[in-house]
Amino acid sequence: GEVSATAFSGRDWQEHLFNELGRFAPREAVLDTAAWEDVELREFLRLRLDCRCELGREEDFAPDRAMETARKQFRTGLEDLPGEAEAAVRACGGLLIYLYETQKTDLSHLTAFRYYTGGEFMELDLTARRNLELTETMRGKEKKGSLLWVLDKTKTPMGGRMLRSWLERPLLSVTDIDRRSSAVAALVDDTIRREELIAGMTGLGDMERLIGRIVYGTAGGRDLTSLRAAMEKLPNLKEQLSGFSDRRLTELTAELDTLDDISGDIAAAICDEPPFSVREGSIIRDGFNEEVDRLRHILKSGKGVMAEMEAKEKEKTGIRTLKIGYNKVFGYYIEVSNAFKEQVPETYIRKQTLVNGERFITQELKDLEHEILTASERVVALEYELFSALRQQIADNAGRIQKTAAAVAECDALCSFASVAVHNNFCRPEVDESGVIEIREGRHPVVEKVLKDSLFVPNDTFMGEKEERVAIITGPNMAGKSTYMRQVALIVLMAQMGSFVPAKYAHIGVVDRIFTRIGASDDLSAGQSTFMVEMTEVSDILHQATKNSLLILDEIGRGTSTFDGMAIARAVLEYCADKKTLGAKTLFATHYHELTEMENTLPGTVNYNIAVKRRGEDIIFLRKIIPGGADRSYGIEVAKLAGLPEKVVQRAKVILKELEDENGVQYVAARKETDQVSLDAM
C-alpha cells in the first residue's frame, strides 16, 4: 500500500532514473508515449531488470486528468509539492488509471502519496550494488553470501522488506541516521527485553499483504484468521516496546495500535479453521448469528424436525397410524391409513390415494420442506454476506492496520540490526558531516562470516577531508586488496543505514554516493570488451562523483598494454585526487608500482600495501594493510599458489630473468607488474 514518487531533471536525469529503477527492480512498468519511444529506457527495463513494459494511453497522463485522479485517491501528500513534482504526479495518475482498469477492484488502501527528493538517500548505481553484493552474490545470484544475508535476521515478512529497503537506500541525514542507530543501541543494551521482542514477533503474519488482499476483496477466511493471529501478538509487543526510553522506540510504541476491536470482531465471527473457499459455508462461528444457527439446526436435524412434527400431528388429530414420509415425486407427505380417514382435518390437502390409505400435504409441511431443502443454499449465502460485511469493516480500518504493520516492520528491522551487532561484535559508528572516514580494526561483514577455519584479519582505515584522501594500494592478487576496499565501502554503507558496523571504532563522515570499479565484467552480449566496459564505467564515475563521494577503483587500465594502462591509471588518479577537478575519497588498487611515486608529488595521496611473508620460494599473505608501496608483485609465486604445473612455474622464472637481462633498466621500470599481467593472461 505504499505510493512513493520522485522526478529527475537536468543533465544527468537518465543516470538517476536508471539507478532508481535498478533499486526498486520493478516487475512491470507503465510508460507514456515519450517514455515508450525512449529505446534506451525500454531496453534497460527489459534486458537489465527483466521488467515488462506496457504502453499507457496518452490522455491518462495528461496533467489535469492525472492530478484529478491523484486528488480523488490520496488523502495526504499532494500539498506543497515542488514544481518538478508535476511529472511524478502525472506518472502516478496514469498508473492509477491503469490499475483501476486492470484490477477491477477497490484501491482504498492507497491513501498517502509520498514525494521524495534525491537528497534523502545515498544513490547507488547497478554496478556498485552488484560489486558490493548488497542483496545477492555476483556469481550465484543468491542471498547467501550477500550483505543482506548477514544483516537480515528479521522475523516477519514486512520487517524483511523494510530492512531490504534500508539497505537499498542508505540515509544522508545525520539526524535520521542517529535516530535509527540510537534505537539499535537501546536494543543492544537491553538483551532480555530485545529477546522478548524478537520472540513476540516470531511467526507474526504478513499484515501488509493481508490488508492488501482484504481491501482488494480477494481475502478468504484463512486470511482473516491469519490477520487475527498476528493482531493477537500486538498487545504483548506493545508492552515490551514501552519499556524502552529511546525516542524512536517510544514513537513506535505510540504508532503500534493493538487493534483489539478488529481481532475481537474476527474472533467472534470467523471459526478457528475456516474452509479454503468463502462460498461453501462453514465459515461463520456458531453463536454469532441467530439465523445461521437456525438454518444449521434445520440442516443437521432434518429427520428430527420431521419426527417432532409427526408426533405433534398425531397428538393434534388423534390418528395413531399417521406418519410423515418422503419421496422424490411429492417431497414430504402425511400418510393416513383407511381406518382413520374420517379423522383427517380439513386443512389436509389430498395428494395421492393408495390401496390401504391416503397421502396428504399441509401448508406447514410444505413450508418446512422448503426450509429443509433450501437451508443449505440460504446458509451459504448468508454466511458469505456476513463474511463480506466483516471484510469490508476491516478494509475501512486499513489505515490503522497499515500504520501498525509499518511500526512492527521497523521494530523488527531494528531488532535484526541489534541482534546482528551483538552476535558479531559490531560497534556503533560516529556519523557526522566531517568528511573523515576513520575505522579501527575494520572487518568485512560477509567474508568474516564465510571464513570457517581461519580468523578474519582486521585492518585500519583513515581518509581525511584534506589529508590522505586517496590511498594507493599495491600488493599481489589474492592478497586481499579487493576485500579490504569493499569492506571500507560496506562499513560506510552500514553506518549510513543506521546499523552498527564490524569494527572496534568507526567515525564516518557521510558520503553522498559510493562508486565501484572492480574486476572484469565483460559485456560480451552487448559486443563490448573488458577494456571498453572498464573505461565506460570509469567515465560514468568521473562524471557523476562529487567531492563527497567514495570511490573504489580496482586495477584501472589493466585491459590494455602496460604503458597505455599505466598512463590512464595515473591520469584517473590525478583527477580523483586533485581538489580542483574532483578531490573525492578514493581507494585505488593497482599493480602499476610506479604509481606509488605519486605519494611524493600529489597532495592528499598515501601508499599502502598488503603485507606478504616469504619462506624460501613460498609466500604467505598476511592480509594486513601497512603503509608504503609493495616492493614487487609476486606474480609467479601467486601462479604457483593457484596450482600451475611446476614445469610452467620454473619456465616462467627463466623467461622473466631473460626479459630482465635483455631489457635492462628500461624493462625493470615496467617489470614489476608484468608477471602479474602474464598471470592474468594465463
PDB file of all heavy atoms in Angstrom, residues 68-87:
ATOM      1  N   GLU A  68      -6.347  15.230 -11.082  1.00  0.00           N
ATOM      2  CA  GLU A  68      -7.706  14.975 -10.575  1.00  0.00           C
ATOM      3  C   GLU A  68      -7.802  13.541 -10.020  1.00  0.00           C
ATOM      4  O   GLU A  68      -8.354  13.303  -8.943  1.00  0.00           O
ATOM      5  CB  GLU A  68      -8.710  15.170 -11.731  1.00  0.00           C
ATOM      6  CG  GLU A  68     -10.155  15.038 -11.286  1.00  0.00           C
ATOM      7  CD  GLU A  68     -11.107  14.955 -12.489  1.00  0.00           C
ATOM      8  OE1 GLU A  68     -10.692  15.252 -13.638  1.00  0.00           O
ATOM      9  OE2 GLU A  68     -12.249  14.561 -12.265  1.00  0.00           O
ATOM     10  N   THR A  69      -7.211  12.588 -10.747  1.00  0.00           N
ATOM     11  CA  THR A  69      -7.219  11.180 -10.310  1.00  0.00           C
ATOM     12  C   THR A  69      -6.473  11.037  -8.990  1.00  0.00           C
ATOM     13  O   THR A  69      -6.948  10.362  -8.064  1.00  0.00           O
ATOM     14  CB  THR A  69      -6.547  10.286 -11.379  1.00  0.00           C
ATOM     15  OG1 THR A  69      -7.168  10.526 -12.641  1.00  0.00           O
ATOM     16  CG2 THR A  69      -6.672   8.815 -11.027  1.00  0.00           C
ATOM     17  N   ALA A  70      -5.297  11.681  -8.900  1.00  0.00           N
ATOM     18  CA  ALA A  70      -4.488  11.591  -7.678  1.00  0.00           C
ATOM     19  C   ALA A  70      -5.227  12.216  -6.494  1.00  0.00           C
ATOM     20  O   ALA A  70      -5.219  11.676  -5.381  1.00  0.00           O
ATOM     21  CB  ALA A  70      -3.140  12.273  -7.890  1.00  0.00           C
ATOM     22  N   ARG A  71      -5.909  13.363  -6.738  1.00  0.00           N
ATOM     23  CA  ARG A  71      -6.634  14.044  -5.644  1.00  0.00           C
ATOM     24  C   ARG A  71      -7.767  13.174  -5.108  1.00  0.00           C
ATOM     25  O   ARG A  71      -8.040  13.157  -3.915  1.00  0.00           O
ATOM     26  CB  ARG A  71      -7.204  15.372  -6.152  1.00  0.00           C
ATOM     27  CG  ARG A  71      -6.131  16.435  -6.290  1.00  0.00           C
ATOM     28  CD  ARG A  71      -6.629  17.788  -5.760  1.00  0.00           C
ATOM     29  NE  ARG A  71      -5.488  18.692  -5.569  1.00  0.00           N
ATOM     30  CZ  ARG A  71      -5.053  19.535  -6.498  1.00  0.00           C
ATOM     31  NH1 ARG A  71      -5.647  19.594  -7.657  1.00  0.00           N
ATOM     32  NH2 ARG A  71      -4.010  20.302  -6.244  1.00  0.00           N
ATOM     33  N   LYS A  72      -8.440  12.466  -6.021  1.00  0.00           N
ATOM     34  CA  LYS A  72      -9.536  11.591  -5.575  1.00  0.00           C
ATOM     35  C   LYS A  72      -9.003  10.422  -4.758  1.00  0.00           C
ATOM     36  O   LYS A  72      -9.666   9.923  -3.862  1.00  0.00           O
ATOM     37  CB  LYS A  72     -10.294  11.048  -6.803  1.00  0.00           C
ATOM     38  CG  LYS A  72     -11.294  12.034  -7.380  1.00  0.00           C
ATOM     39  CD  LYS A  72     -12.025  11.399  -8.547  1.00  0.00           C
ATOM     40  CE  LYS A  72     -12.919  12.412  -9.254  1.00  0.00           C
ATOM     41  NZ  LYS A  72     -13.377  11.899 -10.558  1.00  0.00           N
ATOM     42  N   GLN A  73      -7.809   9.953  -5.107  1.00  0.00           N
ATOM     43  CA  GLN A  73      -7.274   8.731  -4.487  1.00  0.00           C
ATOM     44  C   GLN A  73      -6.606   8.989  -3.135  1.00  0.00           C
ATOM     45  O   GLN A  73      -6.804   8.247  -2.184  1.00  0.00           O
ATOM     46  CB  GLN A  73      -6.258   8.073  -5.438  1.00  0.00           C
ATOM     47  CG  GLN A  73      -5.643   6.792  -4.912  1.00  0.00           C
ATOM     48  CD  GLN A  73      -6.636   5.657  -4.806  1.00  0.00           C
ATOM     49  OE1 GLN A  73      -7.420   5.420  -5.714  1.00  0.00           O
ATOM     50  NE2 GLN A  73      -6.631   4.962  -3.686  1.00  0.00           N
ATOM     51  N   PHE A  74      -5.781  10.059  -3.067  1.00  0.00           N
ATOM     52  CA  PHE A  74      -4.926  10.242  -1.888  1.00  0.00           C
ATOM     53  C   PHE A  74      -5.484  11.273  -0.923  1.00  0.00           C
ATOM     54  O   PHE A  74      -5.914  12.345  -1.328  1.00  0.00           O
ATOM     55  CB  PHE A  74      -3.507  10.658  -2.318  1.00  0.00           C
ATOM     56  CG  PHE A  74      -2.862   9.683  -3.248  1.00  0.00           C
ATOM     57  CD1 PHE A  74      -2.499  10.053  -4.536  1.00  0.00           C
ATOM     58  CD2 PHE A  74      -2.622   8.370  -2.849  1.00  0.00           C
ATOM     59  CE1 PHE A  74      -1.913   9.151  -5.405  1.00  0.00           C
ATOM     60  CE2 PHE A  74      -2.045   7.459  -3.714  1.00  0.00           C
ATOM     61  CZ  PHE A  74      -1.686   7.848  -4.983  1.00  0.00           C
ATOM     62  N   ARG A  75      -5.405  10.929   0.357  1.00  0.00           N
ATOM     63  CA  ARG A  75      -5.861  11.871   1.385  1.00  0.00           C
ATOM     64  C   ARG A  75      -4.747  12.834   1.764  1.00  0.00           C
ATOM     65  O   ARG A  75      -4.991  13.949   2.178  1.00  0.00           O
ATOM     66  CB  ARG A  75      -6.306  11.099   2.639  1.00  0.00           C
ATOM     67  CG  ARG A  75      -7.567  10.289   2.422  1.00  0.00           C
ATOM     68  CD  ARG A  75      -8.059   9.640   3.712  1.00  0.00           C
ATOM     69  NE  ARG A  75      -8.779   8.416   3.394  1.00  0.00           N
ATOM     70  CZ  ARG A  75      -8.657   7.289   4.051  1.00  0.00           C
ATOM     71  NH1 ARG A  75      -7.829   7.207   5.070  1.00  0.00           N
ATOM     72  NH2 ARG A  75      -9.345   6.218   3.709  1.00  0.00           N
ATOM     73  N   THR A  76      -3.493  12.350   1.692  1.00  0.00           N
ATOM     74  CA  THR A  76      -2.361  13.205   2.107  1.00  0.00           C
ATOM     75  C   THR A  76      -1.229  13.137   1.087  1.00  0.00           C
ATOM     76  O   THR A  76      -1.144  12.181   0.314  1.00  0.00           O
ATOM     77  CB  THR A  76      -1.781  12.738   3.466  1.00  0.00           C
ATOM     78  OG1 THR A  76      -1.324  11.389   3.315  1.00  0.00           O
ATOM     79  CG2 THR A  76      -2.804  12.804   4.567  1.00  0.00           C
ATOM     80  N   GLY A  77      -0.372  14.167   1.117  1.00  0.00           N
ATOM     81  CA  GLY A  77       0.868  14.134   0.333  1.00  0.00           C
ATOM     82  C   GLY A  77       0.877  14.994  -0.907  1.00  0.00           C
ATOM     83  O   GLY A  77       1.917  15.166  -1.536  1.00  0.00           O
ATOM     84  N   LEU A  78      -0.294  15.553  -1.288  1.00  0.00           N
ATOM     85  CA  LEU A  78      -0.325  16.337  -2.530  1.00  0.00           C
ATOM     86  C   LEU A  78      -0.216  17.840  -2.268  1.00  0.00           C
ATOM     87  O   LEU A  78      -0.285  18.643  -3.181  1.00  0.00           O
ATOM     88  CB  LEU A  78      -1.612  16.031  -3.320  1.00  0.00           C
ATOM     89  CG  LEU A  78      -1.698  14.610  -3.895  1.00  0.00           C
ATOM     90  CD1 LEU A  78      -3.082  14.338  -4.452  1.00  0.00           C
ATOM     91  CD2 LEU A  78      -0.658  14.391  -4.985  1.00  0.00           C
ATOM     92  N   GLU A  79      -0.060  18.210  -0.981  1.00  0.00           N
ATOM     93  CA  GLU A  79       0.043  19.640  -0.646  1.00  0.00           C
ATOM     94  C   GLU A  79       1.507  20.080  -0.779  1.00  0.00           C
ATOM     95  O   GLU A  79       2.421  19.304  -0.524  1.00  0.00           O
ATOM     96  CB  GLU A  79      -0.406  19.900   0.800  1.00  0.00           C
ATOM     97  CG  GLU A  79      -1.577  19.072   1.308  1.00  0.00           C
ATOM     98  CD  GLU A  79      -1.216  17.647   1.729  1.00  0.00           C
ATOM     99  OE1 GLU A  79      -0.144  17.446   2.292  1.00  0.00           O
ATOM    100  OE2 GLU A  79      -2.012  16.746   1.440  1.00  0.00           O
ATOM    101  N   ASP A  80       1.706  21.334  -1.139  1.00  0.00           N
ATOM    102  CA  ASP A  80       3.036  21.979  -1.140  1.00  0.00           C
ATOM    103  C   ASP A  80       4.093  21.188  -1.912  1.00  0.00           C
ATOM    104  O   ASP A  80       5.225  21.025  -1.443  1.00  0.00           O
ATOM    105  CB  ASP A  80       3.536  22.196   0.308  1.00  0.00           C
ATOM    106  CG  ASP A  80       2.516  22.949   1.146  1.00  0.00           C
ATOM    107  OD1 ASP A  80       1.874  23.846   0.583  1.00  0.00           O
ATOM    108  OD2 ASP A  80       2.365  22.613   2.334  1.00  0.00           O
ATOM    109  N   LEU A  81       3.739  20.665  -3.070  1.00  0.00           N
ATOM    110  CA  LEU A  81       4.725  19.926  -3.865  1.00  0.00           C
ATOM    111  C   LEU A  81       5.583  20.903  -4.658  1.00  0.00           C
ATOM    112  O   LEU A  81       5.082  21.925  -5.126  1.00  0.00           O
ATOM    113  CB  LEU A  81       4.024  18.960  -4.842  1.00  0.00           C
ATOM    114  CG  LEU A  81       3.371  17.723  -4.219  1.00  0.00           C
ATOM    115  CD1 LEU A  81       2.591  16.959  -5.275  1.00  0.00           C
ATOM    116  CD2 LEU A  81       4.405  16.812  -3.592  1.00  0.00           C
ATOM    117  N   PRO A  82       6.895  20.609  -4.846  1.00  0.00           N
ATOM    118  CA  PRO A  82       7.732  21.494  -5.678  1.00  0.00           C
ATOM    119  C   PRO A  82       7.315  21.412  -7.142  1.00  0.00           C
ATOM    120  O   PRO A  82       6.632  20.462  -7.552  1.00  0.00           O
ATOM    121  CB  PRO A  82       9.139  20.919  -5.467  1.00  0.00           C
ATOM    122  CG  PRO A  82       8.937  19.503  -5.057  1.00  0.00           C
ATOM    123  CD  PRO A  82       7.638  19.465  -4.315  1.00  0.00           C
ATOM    124  N   GLY A  83       7.765  22.377  -7.928  1.00  0.00           N
ATOM    125  CA  GLY A  83       7.372  22.454  -9.342  1.00  0.00           C
ATOM    126  C   GLY A  83       7.689  21.203 -10.139  1.00  0.00           C
ATOM    127  O   GLY A  83       6.877  20.726 -10.936  1.00  0.00           O
ATOM    128  N   GLU A  84       8.904  20.618  -9.890  1.00  0.00           N
ATOM    129  CA  GLU A  84       9.306  19.450 -10.701  1.00  0.00           C
ATOM    130  C   GLU A  84       8.487  18.200 -10.375  1.00  0.00           C
ATOM    131  O   GLU A  84       8.553  17.197 -11.080  1.00  0.00           O
ATOM    132  CB  GLU A  84      10.807  19.162 -10.541  1.00  0.00           C
ATOM    133  CG  GLU A  84      11.232  18.634  -9.178  1.00  0.00           C
ATOM    134  CD  GLU A  84      11.624  19.736  -8.212  1.00  0.00           C
ATOM    135  OE1 GLU A  84      11.290  20.920  -8.473  1.00  0.00           O
ATOM    136  OE2 GLU A  84      12.264  19.422  -7.200  1.00  0.00           O
ATOM    137  N   ALA A  85       7.673  18.279  -9.293  1.00  0.00           N
ATOM    138  CA  ALA A  85       6.883  17.097  -8.907  1.00  0.00           C
ATOM    139  C   ALA A  85       5.715  16.851  -9.854  1.00  0.00           C
ATOM    140  O   ALA A  85       5.090  15.791  -9.806  1.00  0.00           O
ATOM    141  CB  ALA A  85       6.363  17.258  -7.483  1.00  0.00           C
ATOM    142  N   GLU A  86       5.426  17.810 -10.745  1.00  0.00           N
ATOM    143  CA  GLU A  86       4.295  17.614 -11.661  1.00  0.00           C
ATOM    144  C   GLU A  86       4.464  16.336 -12.479  1.00  0.00           C
ATOM    145  O   GLU A  86       3.516  15.581 -12.690  1.00  0.00           O
ATOM    146  CB  GLU A  86       4.147  18.818 -12.602  1.00  0.00           C
ATOM    147  CG  GLU A  86       2.872  18.721 -13.443  1.00  0.00           C
ATOM    148  CD  GLU A  86       2.872  19.633 -14.667  1.00  0.00           C
ATOM    149  OE1 GLU A  86       3.230  20.815 -14.512  1.00  0.00           O
ATOM    150  OE2 GLU A  86       2.515  19.153 -15.752  1.00  0.00           O
ATOM    151  N   ALA A  87       5.706  16.075 -12.913  1.00  0.00           N
ATOM    152  CA  ALA A  87       5.959  14.865 -13.713  1.00  0.00           C
ATOM    153  C   ALA A  87       5.631  13.613 -12.899  1.00  0.00           C
ATOM    154  O   ALA A  87       5.063  12.640 -13.410  1.00  0.00           O
ATOM    155  CB  ALA A  87       7.417  14.826 -14.159  1.00  0.00           C
TER     156      ALA A  87
END
